[in-house]
Each structure stands twice: as C-alpha cells, then as structure tokens.
Amino acid sequence: MSDCIFCKIASGEIPSNTIFENEDFRVILDNGPATKGHALVLPKAHYADLYEIPEETVMGAVKVAKTVAGTMKEKLGCDGLNLVQNNGAAAGQTVMHFHLHIIPRYENDGQHILWKPTSPSSEELVEIRKTIVGE
Ligand code: 5GP
Ligand code: ZN
C-alpha cells in the first residue's frame, strides 16, 4: 500500500524508534504513547485489520508481543501490561494497517484502558448468545 504510513514505517522507508524486528514484523514506539514504552507490533505486509490478516500472521504478532512484553517487564519495570487491538473506526482504529498495541502499565499511571460495564438481563444475554451461535 503506497500511501500507508505503517507500511512505510514497517519497511524502514520512514525511520522509527524500533525496539524489535524480524523478517515479518517491526515493533516501534508509539509517537503518542499512553504510557512509557507504549509500542506497536506492525506486520511488514499490509492487512487492514483482524478480518484481513491471515491466522498465522496474527499468531506471529502475538508471539512477538510476548517476547517484547518480557523485555518491557525486565527493562522498564512495568507493573502490568495491556494488549489492545482496534478494528474499525467505531472501535477506535485510526491507522488502517493492522497493529497490536503493547501498553506497559505502572501503578497509578493515570491511564484508563477499561470499559464501563453495562447490566444486561439474563434473558438479553441468552438472546445475544442465540444471535451469535444461531441456536
Ligand atoms: P489505533 O488508534 O489505530 O489503534 O492506533 C494508532 C496508533 O498509532 C496511535 O496510538 C498513534 O499514536 C500511533 N501513530 C500514528 N501515526 C504514527 C506514526 O507516524 N508513528 C508512530 N510511531 N506512531 C503513530
Ligand atoms: Zn500498510
């Protein structure tokens, strides 16, 4: 994708703060980080989102995230970590090249990567299950 910023970063055409690289992925520091060390796992091939990316590639991205997560714990001393992956504008995706956020978390870091729970009735949950599984 010639006009995709993450394709250009992943290929090295645009410089980035790379913290890990292999044949298929580049991991860069997010330039608008939620916390110290917030990083993005970028596949070097272009896929818009979870729907497009092949299963083996998404599995590779998670393996890379696990490696980097260990490094972050060791080197940054984070207290926790969120993996976040947005698909579609409605879900907050702003760059339409699949990426996995690795967000190190620190006690009292002031971030809120949580949702507000709702309270569906048990009947509503049963209906949703039926809608999803078709029975
Ligand atoms: P999304 O909202 O699509 O899941 O996340 C996109 C992320 O990419 C954001 O956290 C944003 O800060 C980051 N980002 C957008 N453009 C660039 C860029 O050119 N360089 C880097 N390093 N991060 C970027
Ligand atoms: Zn791309």
Side-chain angles (χ1 to χ4, degrees):
M1 286 273 287
S2 57
D3 59 347
C4 172
I5 180 91
F6 280 3
C7 278
K8 289 180 180 161
I9 292 174
S11 71
E13 184 185 336
I14 293 179
S16 62
N17 287 298
T18 296
I19 59 170
F20 177 94
E21 185 179 5
N22 67 17
E23 198 183 335
D24 299 318
F25 299 95
R26 181 188 294 273
V27 183
I28 63 166
L29 292 182
D30 194 300
N31 67 1
T35 63
K36 180 181 173 183
H38 181 167
L40 304 170
V41 181
L42 309 181
K44 292 186 178 178
H46 181 91
Y47 306 106
D49 54 26
L50 187 64
Y51 297 103
E52 279 193 6
I53 193 169
E55 206 173 275
E56 63 270 22
T57 311
V58 79
M59 286 168 70
V62 172
K63 276 189 182 176
V64 167
K66 182 169 170 60
T67 301
V68 173
T71 307
M72 284 179 170
K73 192 170 181 183
E74 186 190 329
K75 300 282 176 63
L76 296 175
C78 56
D79 304 307
L81 183 139
N82 294 110
L83 285 186
V84 177
Q85 202 275 308
N86 300 325
N87 298 282
Q93 185 178 10
T94 58
V95 181
M96 300 303 164
H97 175 124
F98 178 98
H99 52 280
L100 187 52
H101 293 257
I102 306 175
I103 307 177
R105 299 302 303 275
Y106 307 89
E107 295 295 343
N108 305 312
D109 63 21
Q111 286 293 355
H112 297 280
I113 306 166
L114 295 172
W115 53 90
K116 193 170 61 154
T118 60
S119 310
S121 66
S122 50
E123 290 81 8
E124 283 173 310
L125 289 174
V126 168
E127 279 309 310
I128 294 164
R129 189 192 70 79
K130 280 186 191 166
T131 303
I132 295 169
V133 304
E135 60 189 47

